[in-house]
Amino acid sequence: GSDHGHNLVIDPVADVWRCFRCNSGGGPTQALAVDSGIIHCHEAQPGALRGKLFKQMSHEAKKRGLLDKYLN
């Protein structure tokens, strides 16, 4: 929905992202949850991934092979 292409900013050094359109953002776990449809972008706030949502995000990370590099 951006007219200028600057709604999403990713800082790979700090490992965070920010969506100015939705006034949301977070780290890799929130990005994965948004990308996989577990939460909507506007829901990406601190504490959004609790309980069932955290389990869904963890399952998605495992399915994508993203946990392997941290568990080995």
Side-chain angles (χ1 to χ4, degrees), residues 45-62:
Q45 303 288 339
L49 296 174
R50 294 180 185 215
K52 182 181 175 182
L53 294 177
F54 182 81
K55 288 180 183 179
Q56 288 177 315
M57 182 278 307
S58 297
H59 176 74
E60 183 65 24
K62 185 175 182 180

Side-chain angles (χ1 to χ4, degrees), residues 9 14 17 19 25 36 39 44 58 62:
V9 175
W17 62 278
C19 175
S36 60
I39 62 174
S58 297
K62 185 175 182 180

Side-chain angles (χ1 to χ4, degrees), residues 21-36:
R21 180 176 184 188
C22 296
N23 194 30
S24 63
T29 57
Q30 288 89 359
L32 175 62
V34 171
D35 184 60
S36 60

Side-chain angles (χ1 to χ4, degrees), residues 57-71:
M57 182 278 307
S58 297
H59 176 74
E60 183 65 24
K62 185 175 182 180
K63 186 171 89 176
R64 293 187 187 196
L66 299 174
L67 293 181
D68 296 339
K69 65 181 177 181
Y70 297 107
L71 298 176

